[in-house]
Amino acid sequence: MSKVKTLDEITAKFHDGQVMMIGGFMSAGTPETFIDAIIEKGITNLTVIANDTGFVDTGIGKLIVAKRISKLIATHVGTNKETGRQMNAGEIEYDLVPQGTLAERVRAAGAGLGGFLTPTGVGTIVEEGKQKITVDGKEYLLELPIRAEIALLHAWKADTSGNLVYRVASRNFNPLMALAADFVVVSAEEIVEVGELDPDIIATPGALVDMLVKGR
């Protein structure tokens, strides 16, 4: 059965106050089609889990500028001055997570794990409020998995069953997030029929995808 839908059918799944994972790394691999739709529909008060907030005029940065995000969980925000301004002004709640830790928290959720141990952040503000465990004399932080209600992803190519292929570095967080959300929607630059994709280059199987649309 085809998972190709209209943009309106997909955005009907978006709502105020939603917890969203959004793929991308400095806007590469970010589903701009969905970002623009969120702004156009006036959806707000979002909790967004992402690597970063892109730039002021691209990617998640557009949601920041439009003040649609109430809480941000990300790894760095240095490329978007508006994110920093809102953080310093107390206009947005935020949790800055080491990049590898965020990736592993997402992966742990997708793998059904209860958490993992990492030395990253020990002795810094990152450890505040977290359980510390000593193994063979070395301290680790217990980091917990993180999930979302919905994941918004971008692919280079997809087939109508939702099998996805990513283009070089735009792959980034997208495959991990496909595993860690209750509902997964994809914007693909090209959609082909089942059987047209080389199975060896499919990174996300269609079983993980609920809806897709042709996007930019």
Side-chain angles (χ1 to χ4, degrees):
M1 183 177 66
S2 175
K3 295 182 179 178
V4 180
K5 306 295 180 181
T6 66
L7 184 58
D8 284 343
E9 286 176 306
I10 290 178
T11 56
K13 300 294 183 180
F14 303 168
H15 60 79
D16 291 353
Q18 201 165 27
V19 179
M20 291 183 168
M21 284 186 179
I22 304 179
F25 187 104
M26 295 176 64
S27 299
T30 298
E32 299 283 353
T33 298
F34 297 149
I35 299 289
D36 292 342
I38 289 169
I39 293 173
E40 182 178 343
K41 289 176 71 70
I43 296 167
T44 191
N45 193 32
L46 297 171
T47 294
V48 169
I49 302 163
N51 179 70
D52 58 81
T53 56
F55 303 89
V56 292
D57 56 351
T58 61
I60 298 168
K62 291 185 287 187
L63 297 179
I64 292 287
V65 170
K67 294 190 175 181
R68 303 303 173 83
I69 300 175
S70 59
K71 181 175 181 179
L72 175 69
I73 301 172
T75 70
H76 69 86
V77 297
T79 57
N80 189 330
K81 291 183 179 180
E82 176 60 15
T83 306
R85 189 201 67 76
Q86 290 184 25
M87 289 165 59
N88 291 330
E91 297 174 8
I92 188 172
E93 184 180 354
Y94 63 91
D95 183 8
L96 295 183
V97 182
Q99 191 172 74
T101 299
L102 181 63
E104 188 67 4
R105 288 181 68 189
V106 174
R107 191 197 71 81
L113 302 179
F116 62 96
L117 300 179
T118 176
T120 303
V122 172
T124 74
I125 60 173
V126 172
E127 73 174 26
E128 292 180 3
K130 296 177 181 175
Q131 184 177 349
K132 293 168 73 173
I133 296 174
T134 301
V135 179
D136 292 335
K138 185 173 182 178
E139 286 189 325
Y140 296 86
L141 301 182
L142 174 62
E143 293 283 358
L144 303 179
I146 187 168
R147 289 188 62 84
E149 295 174 58
I150 192 168
L152 281 53
L153 311 181
H154 178 80
W156 177 40
K157 293 183 179 181
D159 67 22
T160 56
S161 286
N163 296 300
L164 307 181
V165 177
Y166 306 100
R167 187 172 185 273
V168 292
S170 65
R171 176 170 173 161
N172 50 68
F173 272 73
N174 283 286
L176 293 178
M177 291 180 172
L179 290 161
D182 299 331
F183 201 84
V184 176
V185 298
V186 178
S187 167
E189 295 175 38
E190 182 180 349
I191 299 176
V192 300
E193 294 300 320
V194 173
E196 293 186 39
L197 296 178
D198 179 354
D200 287 338
I201 62 172
I202 292 172
T204 297
L208 299 174
V209 174
D210 294 288
M211 291 182 170
L212 71 150
V213 69
K214 190 176 187 306
R216 61 186 178 88

